[in-house]
Amino acid sequence: MPYELNALIATDELITVVAAELPIARITRLPRGLALIRMTDELHNALQQPSTTPDYDFKRFPSGFALRIAGWSKADRIAYAEIDADHPTGRRAALWYDGRITLGPLTPADGAPLARILCALGAPADALPELTGALDELTAALDAHRTAPPAD
């Protein structure tokens, strides 16, 4: 089944700070002290602003969002990643730290973008199956919700 996940990923502490600034954001906790905020249509529309900042060829990246991520990254590392059925190890991902991109944007041609980003966020290599499994479960649940028949 096709699925797509576009999300900010960082430590649970930083994601909690980010969510406090974005009241419509919803946190999903991941193993190993990481968490994410999905880029929903509602959040994407709320974050959209006139800007000349690049979108780094992400599919779901609000105009002007790079400036917000750069600001959050002054506190700690934060990533934006896109995962889809065609590229379950990550279609595109980038890591910001200290106000700038420090890794990426990575594509499948660079190896597994998601795994590289998770490691850059501090996840040990032996934790990658656990983290990607959690992301697989999340995307499967989202897809099931998206394709479920309407309730009577």
Side-chain angles (χ1 to χ4, degrees), residues 25-102:
R26 298 293 171 256
I27 298 172
T28 300
R29 308 269 188 247
L30 298 172
R32 305 294 177 130
L34 296 178
L36 66 80
I37 294 174
R38 289 186 314 112
M39 182 59 68
T40 62
D41 291 340
E42 184 181 27
L43 184 57
H44 182 275
N45 293 338
L47 289 168
Q48 198 77 308
Q49 341 174 345
S51 176
T52 58
T53 61
D55 66 6
Y56 303 105
D57 290 327
F58 285 110
K59 291 168 101 179
R60 300 264 316 137
F61 199 80
S63 178
F65 195 43
L67 294 174
R68 302 267 320 247
I69 296 175
W72 294 320
S73 77
K74 290 182 181 179
D76 201 353
R77 295 163 294 180
I78 187 168
Y80 187 80
E82 293 183 343
I83 307 160
D84 62 35
D86 294 329
H87 299 286
T89 61
R91 188 186 76 74
R92 185 170 287 278
L95 181 84
W96 282 257
Y97 182 61
D98 199 25
R100 61 186 172 81
I101 286 186
T102 58

Side-chain angles (χ1 to χ4, degrees), residues 8-22:
L8 283 169
I9 306 171
T11 62
D12 187 46
E13 294 83 7
L14 182 56
I15 287 294
T16 300
V17 170
V18 170
E21 291 181 28
L22 306 171

